[in-house]
Amino acid sequence: MKMIQQAMMGIALTLMLTVSAMAQEQALASSDSSTQHADPLGSWNDGPTKSSILQFVQEVTKEGGPKFVPPEQRIATFDNDGTLWCEQPVVQFEFAVYRIKAMAGDHPEWKEQEPYKSVLAGDPQHLVDDLINGGHEFLKVMETSHAGMSVEEFDRHVRDFFATAKHPKLNVAYTQLAYTPMVELLAYLRANGFKTYICSGGGIDFMRAISEETYGIVPENVIGTNGRNVFKQVDGKWQLFKTADHLFFNDKATKPTGIDLHIGRKPIFAGGNVRSGGDIGMLTYCHSNTLPSFQLLVNHDDDEREYAYAEKDNASLKTAKAQGWHVLNMKSDWKTIFSND
Amino acid sequence: MKMIQQAMMGIALTLMLTVSAMAQEQALASSDSSTQHADPLGSWNDGPTKSSILQFVQEVTKEGGPKFVPPEQRIATFDNDGTLWCEQPVVQFEFAVYRIKAMAGDHPEWKEQEPYKSVLAGDPQHLVDDLINGGHEFLKVMETSHAGMSVEEFDRHVRDFFATAKHPKLNVAYTQLAYTPMVELLAYLRANGFKTYICSGGGIDFMRAISEETYGIVPENVIGTNGRNVFKQVDGKWQLFKTADHLFFNDKATKPTGIDLHIGRKPIFAGGNVRSGGDIGMLTYCHSNTLPSFQLLVNHDDDEREYAYAEKDNASLKTAKAQGWHVLNMKSDWKTIFSND
């Protein structure tokens, strides 16, 4: 007991000192700006979405209140592509193309061999046709670029990509395409005792390379698509190698599977977006929680500042309406979208 | 920035108040007992194992020291059966037998049908023979008792089992077979900023039902054997159902796979035990960490207070010797083994 107290006191003092140092820094930085009341969701416009979020968090953190949820149950899961950052284009596919191009020197046969030929030529038609026919060629591109190397080597490739690649239209690094209001929301939830997770169709190792610096989400809180990696000795060194065996595609109805495997608790807060219906499963799972819960669905309706797109069948918006989920309209709900706006 | 400061200050103040309340409670509680220096590993005998652990933790937590490891990298993974609690008999198999017996009323055909016939008759020979021949019958028993129901229903069965079943020889609840020195070690590591995980061949959902109350390990920090669960609507209710599809057996060389999938970081502390060589993979993986690391191998040599057993080929002890891992001998290293000793 005494040891725990000492440890906690140590942590408390460290926090105090850090806060004090940060306050000094900020005092210097903001000495010429007028101070305002701290708004945890400062880049959100006032309106029903923002106030619903604030109200929910206040209710579940109010000890003794009728909707109080103990901290260990405050699990929040968020889709990544289109929910936490821009999915036009899908960043991970850009990475796959980047890798195929980098690997092409060792594979002269790819010049004449699909799907590599089209990828190298920058011609999307072959893969578009393939995706309609089951996506086997697409999977081949993903497997070639994502498997067959050690976990460490893959991590280096991803970091190299993010250090150099830029968004084709906005001309900024892809990590700068994180939505500022969502980064704020994640921090606000964590400040209120939530554990925040990514739960995405994106590759688990791909996202982990940037999740902490981009969203403050630690690697162990990332859930994503994965193959079953193999531990083996290569060149006298035991290493984990990436494979596409037993591929688990963490999307749609399998997102609850991924959440249960990694967390073992239902989320009380889940965020997803409109595009393919990929988050209906996760939001339904969250909604089935017997504790108070909140479902947030991002609707892309801002073709000026981001993109405007919808689902063919509107299933996500229809389900949201039927279930009482909260729809976030980027155009009206967000004051700013990107950090460099 | 200001919001983060406020949140941190809030956390710091909460910690201060908690510590203060704890100190008051402790002052009341210990006013009649003579105080001793707090020993975080009080049920361990003094000796090289205990002092090596204390030294390692002091070194990796000493800021500015040559072996300092930042808190986010302080990952500790422990096998469960034979490492954190007694594995004679293997508790989860006792649960499987308990479930087969409970289900037998709905399956009169099992009286004449192997492997159920032998399980119901309490005759182990059929499964012993089967395990030598690939274990298909054994897997059938596990699948019948562990799959085909919702995650919630399975959790209730496990909790019912632990509430009623007793160890055949020691006549206590199975959760009381947790090793007190290991429970202390887990708490000591957490007090020093470690995140503690179970990484076991046991079923992930089985262990999660008792990991928090038994070890202080939260469900999201449990890694284990699992099938791929399915999210579906049954009786108008969306639920996750347990399956044995894509069974991932988290043992031997696949423990690093499980750790990487769930955590995405290598452990700096790993604990396993001698029996089947099941933890050599995990300890090798930990040992491959470029950060300072510690490998602990439990040797069961105490047939009076627990059990004495070894591996046929002694692979774990041989590897430990070759790699410089720390061998824990229960007989000499532990002052007490169980909480009711």
Side-chain angles (χ1 to χ4, degrees):
Chain A
M1 182 64 96
K2 194 171 177 191
M3 204 185 60
I4 297 172
Q5 284 173 26
Q6 286 176 340
M8 287 172 75
M9 190 60 88
I11 295 167
L13 284 172
T14 307
L15 275 173
M16 289 294 208
L17 291 172
T18 311
V19 170
S20 163
M22 286 165 75
Q24 283 180 11
E25 258 182 61
Q26 198 194 34
L28 287 168
S30 68
S31 56
D32 59 344
S33 73
S34 66
T35 54
Q36 68 271 33
H37 285 294
D39 180 350
L41 300 180
S43 56
W44 294 62
N45 286 319
D46 290 334
T49 311
K50 176 174 175 174
S51 57
S52 300
I53 294 172
L54 293 171
Q55 187 187 340
F56 175 76
V57 172
Q58 279 156 16
E59 286 174 349
V60 298
T61 54
K62 189 182 162 65
E63 255 184 278
K67 296 196 170 176
F68 178 72
V69 175
E72 67 271 18
Q73 298 278 7
R74 292 182 206 151
I75 303 290
T77 58
F78 288 84
D79 172 58
N80 187 35
D81 296 314
T83 299
L84 296 183
W85 73 7
C86 178
E87 64 180 344
Q88 304 278 3
V90 173
V91 183
Q92 195 173 349
F93 185 69
E94 297 303 296
F95 166 75
V97 172
Y98 160 91
R99 282 301 303 151
I100 296 295
K101 287 180 179 170
M103 295 165 83
D106 293 334
H107 296 275
E109 73 280 10
W110 284 357
K111 277 181 197 149
E112 302 305 325
Q113 187 184 327
E114 292 292 8
Y116 307 107
K117 186 181 164 184
S118 292
V119 169
L120 293 172
D123 172 11
Q125 198 54 46
H126 180 80
L127 287 182
V128 169
D129 293 346
D130 164 70
L131 280 169
I132 296 163
N133 293 310
H136 301 290
E137 297 276 274
F138 173 78
L139 274 182
K140 202 186 274 182
V141 170
M142 296 310 275
E143 184 172 344
T144 303
S145 52
H146 284 69
M149 75 288 285
S150 74
V151 166
E152 281 83 2
E153 187 185 339
F154 179 76
D155 186 69
R156 278 196 302 277
H157 292 319
V158 178
R159 288 174 195 271
D160 288 347
F161 167 76
F162 278 108
T164 54
K166 302 238 165 164
H167 188 276
K169 180 177 149 189
L170 302 167
N171 198 36
V172 296
Y174 283 105
T175 46
Q176 286 194 265
L177 296 177
Y179 302 134
T180 299
M182 290 308 237
V183 173
E184 275 179 4
L185 174 57
L186 291 167
Y188 172 58
L189 290 172
R190 285 192 296 267
N192 281 282
F194 281 74
K195 277 193 178 178
T196 57
Y197 288 81
I198 289 175
C199 177
S200 165
I204 192 164
D205 295 328
F206 181 75
M207 296 183 291
R208 277 172 170 167
I210 51 91
S211 64
E212 194 161 6
E213 66 184 68
T214 309
Y215 306 120
I217 293 180
V218 290
E220 53 267 42
N221 286 13
V222 176
I223 304 166
T225 293
N226 62 82
R228 196 171 286 177
N229 297 340
V230 171
F231 191 54
K232 59 184 179 183
Q233 204 172 19
V234 174
D235 303 330
K237 221 175 110 188
W238 282 96
Q239 302 171 69
L240 266 176
F241 280 78
K242 283 179 68 68
T243 86
D245 298 342
H246 291 274
L247 188 70
F248 174 70
F249 189 33
N250 189 60
D251 195 37
K252 296 194 167 77
T254 64
K255 284 199 177 187
T257 306
I259 292 171
D260 183 57
L261 176 63
H262 285 259
I263 312 179
R265 316 187 198 251
K266 276 185 194 176
I268 66 164
F269 194 112
N273 71 288
V274 170
R275 183 185 198 184
S276 63
D279 294 315
I280 297 175
M282 174 165 71
L283 270 59
T284 300
Y285 185 56
C286 173
H287 195 93
S288 78
N289 203 325
T290 53
L291 297 168
S293 66
F294 193 102
Q295 295 76 38
L296 184 66
L297 184 71
V298 178
N299 186 30
H300 292 265
D301 63 349
D302 193 333
D303 57 358
E304 269 188 41
R305 297 185 300 168
E306 206 238 8
Y307 293 90
Y309 51 93
E311 281 164 33
K312 277 183 193 163
D313 58 1
N314 266 326
S316 295
L317 285 173
K318 282 181 193 163
T319 314
K321 196 170 179 188
Q323 301 294 328
W325 300 344
H326 299 266
V327 175
L328 181 170
N329 295 303
M330 290 179 81
K331 199 167 182 171
S332 53
D333 279 320
W334 285 353
K335 202 179 289 176
T336 55
I337 296 188
F338 301 117
S339 60
N340 60 344
D341 271 0
Chain B
M1 182 65 96
K2 195 168 177 193
M3 203 186 64
I4 298 172
Q5 283 173 26
Q6 286 178 336
M8 287 171 76
M9 191 61 90
I11 296 166
L13 284 172
T14 309
L15 275 173
M16 289 295 209
L17 292 171
T18 311
V19 170
S20 162
M22 285 165 75
Q24 282 180 10
E25 257 184 61
Q26 197 192 35
L28 288 168
S30 68
S31 57
D32 60 344
S33 71
S34 67
T35 53
Q36 67 272 30
H37 284 293
D39 181 348
L41 301 178
S43 57
W44 294 63
N45 286 319
D46 291 333
T49 312
K50 177 174 174 174
S51 57
S52 300
I53 293 171
L54 293 171
Q55 188 189 336
F56 175 75
V57 172
Q58 279 156 16
E59 285 174 349
V60 299
T61 54
K62 190 182 162 66
E63 256 184 277
K67 296 196 171 176
F68 178 71
V69 175
E72 66 272 17
Q73 298 277 9
R74 292 181 207 153
I75 302 291
T77 58
F78 288 84
D79 171 58
N80 186 34
D81 296 314
T83 298
L84 296 183
W85 74 5
C86 180
E87 63 179 343
Q88 304 277 2
V90 173
V91 182
Q92 195 172 350
F93 185 69
E94 298 302 296
F95 167 75
V97 172
Y98 160 92
R99 282 300 304 153
I100 296 295
K101 287 179 178 170
M103 295 166 83
D106 293 334
H107 297 275
E109 72 280 11
W110 284 357
K111 278 182 196 147
E112 302 304 325
Q113 187 184 327
E114 292 291 9
Y116 307 107
K117 186 182 165 186
S118 292
V119 168
L120 293 171
D123 173 11
Q125 198 55 47
H126 180 81
L127 287 182
V128 169
D129 293 346
D130 164 70
L131 280 169
I132 295 163
N133 294 310
H136 302 289
E137 296 277 274
F138 173 79
L139 274 181
K140 202 186 274 182
V141 170
M142 296 310 277
E143 183 172 346
T144 303
S145 52
H146 284 69
M149 74 288 286
S150 75
V151 166
E152 281 83 4
E153 186 185 340
F154 180 76
D155 186 69
R156 279 196 301 277
H157 292 321
V158 178
R159 289 175 193 271
D160 288 348
F161 167 76
F162 279 109
T164 54
K166 302 238 165 166
H167 187 276
K169 180 177 148 190
L170 301 167
N171 200 36
V172 296
Y174 282 106
T175 46
Q176 287 195 266
L177 296 177
Y179 302 134
T180 299
M182 290 308 238
V183 174
E184 275 179 6
L185 174 57
L186 291 167
Y188 172 58
L189 290 173
R190 285 192 296 267
N192 282 282
F194 282 73
K195 279 194 177 178
T196 58
Y197 288 81
I198 289 175
C199 177
S200 164
I204 193 164
D205 295 328
F206 181 76
M207 297 183 290
R208 278 172 169 167
I210 52 90
S211 63
E212 193 159 9
E213 65 184 68
T214 309
Y215 306 121
I217 294 180
V218 290
E220 54 267 41
N221 287 12
V222 175
I223 304 166
T225 293
N226 61 82
R228 195 171 287 178
N229 297 339
V230 170
F231 191 55
K232 59 183 179 183
Q233 205 173 18
V234 175
D235 303 331
K237 221 176 110 187
W238 282 97
Q239 301 170 68
L240 266 177
F241 280 78
K242 283 178 68 70
T243 85
D245 298 343
H246 291 275
L247 188 69
F248 174 69
F249 189 33
N250 188 60
D251 195 37
K252 297 194 168 77
T254 63
K255 284 199 177 188
T257 305
I259 292 172
D260 183 58
L261 176 63
H262 285 259
I263 312 179
R265 314 188 199 252
K266 276 186 193 174
I268 66 163
F269 195 112
N273 71 287
V274 170
R275 185 185 196 183
S276 63
D279 293 316
I280 297 175
M282 174 165 70
L283 271 59
T284 300
Y285 185 56
C286 173
H287 195 93
S288 77
N289 203 324
T290 52
L291 297 167
S293 66
F294 194 102
Q295 295 75 37
L296 184 66
L297 184 71
V298 178
N299 186 30
H300 292 265
D301 63 348
D302 192 333
D303 57 357
E304 269 188 40
R305 298 185 300 170
E306 205 240 6
Y307 293 90
Y309 51 92
E311 281 164 32
K312 277 182 193 163
D313 58 2
N314 267 324
S316 295
L317 285 173
K318 281 180 195 163
T319 313
K321 195 170 178 188
Q323 301 294 330
W325 300 343
H326 299 267
V327 175
L328 179 171
N329 295 302
M330 291 180 80
K331 199 167 182 172
S332 53
D333 279 319
W334 285 351
K335 203 179 286 175
T336 54
I337 295 187
F338 301 117
S339 61
N340 61 344
D341 270 1

